[in-house]
Amino acid sequence: MTKGRIFSGIQPTGIIHLGNYVGAIQQWVKLMHDYDCIYCIVDYHAITIEYDRQSLRDNIMEAGVTLIACGIDPERCTLFVQSQVPEHTELAWIFNCITPIGDLERMTQFKEKSAQHREHINMGLLDYPVLQAADILIYKAGFVPVGEDQVQHIELTRRTARRFNNRFGETFPEPQEILTPTSRIMGTDGKTKMSKSLNNYIGILEPPDVIWEKLRTSVTDENRKRRNDPGNPDICNLFTIHKVFSAPEDIARINRACRSAEIGCIECKKILFNNLMAHLAPIQQSAAKLRDKPELVIDALDEGARRCREMAAQVMDEVRIKVGLLPCTK
Ligand code: AQP
């Protein structure tokens, strides 16, 4: 008996980073044991910004490799690629017809992304949360593990479910977000959310020397100008990461020693690097093995898509009838 159905997704827009890992994937792995989990590589979302076709294909495969290497077990959950289940976009169209444009224009992610990609503000970017609502509701999922940045979109998903149910009769649940204890990791600049599309990320499969270089140059507490100035871990992004990857004794010691200037940032970063790599090394090894056997990943994704198509087709039939369309003749 599971505690309910979960849906969550990740965009294949680049290298999966510590923010994705801490804010989402670690939680996905834990939840897999208690819930009926559906995890998706959301490639249709990834094409809402400018992209290169070959890189997209590589990123989709690499997302599959990374997720499985992180512990997403296709035998215990369903892992698939969004574009391989056409019902997602079909349901999104129905939702488009009940979603006020104003709701979408207000979304923080739309405002941020349209500022970032001024030359490429397309309908897909505006419509992103509607497709996300369809991703979740096509499986009638009750829970969505996400980082803090996605909470506004889950609220819109609930509103969409409510609007649909009020107009066409009870059909969809109103899903709840499940936030990770550390639901926001800042980038190496210490100022903006760690993002694949910004040059501020630490990729979990990057070579150790690259990870070290990124950590070494990461912004910490900016008020700490000299080695002997006391620091404030409460405003240091790296301390947030320590809290995830370091042992309680290390965390307590760093907290104390940083405030009293007993320890400098470089020493603190070295401890973090060692603890982080102890955690990431086995994941990096599994990923290397999977890259040598891509057929394992492809088979898992194919099987996931097959299962999802079955579930999604049933819900789409129900939706078609409820909104006044003809059912699909088989
Ligand atoms: N910095 C972060 N801290 C905590 N959680 C994060 N997530 C992303 N960045 C952080 C969570 O990771 C999951 C998958 O994210 P996504 O790839 O679907 O989209 P995103 O949030 O837009 O991630 P990026 O890296 O910022 O991608 P780009 O740059 O392509 O837009 C989500 O649950 C998200 O909350």
Side-chain angles (χ1 to χ4, degrees):
M1 207 27 203
T2 72
K3 291 184 185 167
R5 176 166 290 165
I6 275 181
F7 178 93
S8 199
I10 188 158
Q11 296 187 76
T13 38
I15 292 180
I16 291 181
H17 54 69
L18 278 182
N20 301 132
Y21 183 66
V22 172
I25 300 170
Q26 262 193 323
Q27 176 96 317
W28 289 12
V29 173
K30 286 196 192 117
L31 292 167
M32 217 172 48
H33 302 282
D34 294 325
Y35 291 82
D36 165 19
C37 294
I38 303 177
Y39 297 134
C40 183
I41 299 168
V42 288
D43 52 352
Y44 275 149
H45 287 282
I47 61 173
T48 58
I49 55 170
E50 244 172 327
Y51 69 97
D52 167 74
R53 284 181 296 171
Q54 189 52 48
S55 309
L56 177 64
R57 253 177 237 123
D58 295 344
N59 287 339
I60 294 170
M61 267 308 286
E62 194 56 18
V65 164
T66 312
L67 291 173
I68 297 175
C70 285
I72 299 296
D73 177 357
E75 303 278 320
R76 287 194 98 116
C77 66
T78 304
L79 177 66
F80 76 109
V81 177
Q82 181 187 33
S83 62
Q84 298 189 340
V85 183
E87 284 80 1
H88 287 236
T89 39
E90 202 178 346
L91 183 59
W93 180 257
I94 308 263
F95 286 166
N96 273 334
C97 300
I98 58 168
T99 305
I101 293 180
D103 278 16
L104 302 178
E105 286 168 337
R106 272 194 292 279
M107 293 290 123
T108 309
Q109 181 176 294
F110 173 66
K111 289 185 198 159
E112 283 175 3
K113 290 263 151 114
S114 39
Q116 243 179 60
H117 305 275
R118 278 185 203 288
E119 269 76 64
H120 194 62
I121 305 176
N122 59 78
M123 279 301 295
L125 197 59
L126 179 68
D127 209 27
Y128 186 115
V130 176
L131 179 56
Q132 190 171 351
D135 296 335
I136 298 163
L137 296 176
I138 193 78
Y139 303 107
K140 301 193 176 184
F143 306 94
V144 191
V146 281
E148 204 179 65
D149 57 315
Q150 291 298 322
V151 171
Q152 199 184 30
H153 287 177
I154 309 306
E155 270 163 19
L156 188 107
T157 300
R158 284 195 285 274
R159 275 210 299 284
T160 307
R162 216 172 301 140
R163 256 191 219 115
F164 186 99
N165 294 344
N166 286 341
R167 177 138 175 224
F168 301 114
E170 200 58 32
T171 309
F172 295 113
E174 291 186 26
Q176 298 302 312
E177 61 272 2
I178 303 180
L179 277 179
T180 34
T182 312
S183 57
R184 191 176 185 83
I185 297 284
M186 303 304 278
T188 49
D189 53 7
K191 289 187 183 70
T192 44
K193 184 195 86 153
M194 187 176 284
S195 270
K196 297 187 216 82
S197 51
L198 299 176
N199 192 17
N200 71 351
Y201 64 81
I202 298 178
I204 60 171
L205 298 185
E206 290 191 290
D209 57 329
V210 174
I211 295 186
W212 166 245
E213 195 47 28
K214 289 187 177 185
L215 271 184
R216 191 185 67 77
T217 52
S218 285
V219 173
T220 54
D221 166 7
E222 283 191 298
N223 300 322
R224 192 175 193 193
K225 304 269 186 253
R226 288 168 301 256
R227 164 66 185 83
N228 292 337
D229 291 342
N232 180 2
D234 299 336
I235 54 168
C236 173
N237 185 39
L238 293 191
F239 190 61
T240 311
I241 305 178
H242 259 299
K243 286 196 233 163
V244 180
F245 295 101
S246 297
E249 318 76 82
D250 274 349
I251 298 168
R253 189 169 66 84
I254 286 159
N255 191 13
R256 212 179 39 248
C258 172
R259 288 178 203 277
S260 61
E262 249 175 81
I263 184 176
C265 287
I266 279 292
E267 203 182 326
C268 174
K269 286 172 173 178
K270 279 183 187 153
I271 301 169
L272 177 58
F273 174 70
N274 288 334
N275 295 341
L276 182 62
M277 285 321 298
H279 187 95
L280 295 184
I283 296 177
Q284 297 198 344
Q285 282 154 17
S286 305
K289 284 190 194 143
L290 285 165
R291 282 196 199 107
D292 284 343
K293 291 199 166 156
E295 64 282 4
L296 292 182
V297 179
I298 293 170
D299 285 352
L301 295 175
D302 282 350
E303 172 55 20
R306 193 196 57 73
R307 285 209 290 264
C308 284
R309 277 195 295 267
E310 247 173 55
M311 291 186 262
Q314 281 184 17
V315 175
M316 242 355 266
D317 271 346
E318 183 188 352
V319 167
R320 270 189 220 102
I321 292 165
K322 282 194 168 148
V323 301
L325 300 167
L326 296 179
C328 251
T329 44
K330 301 268 163 25

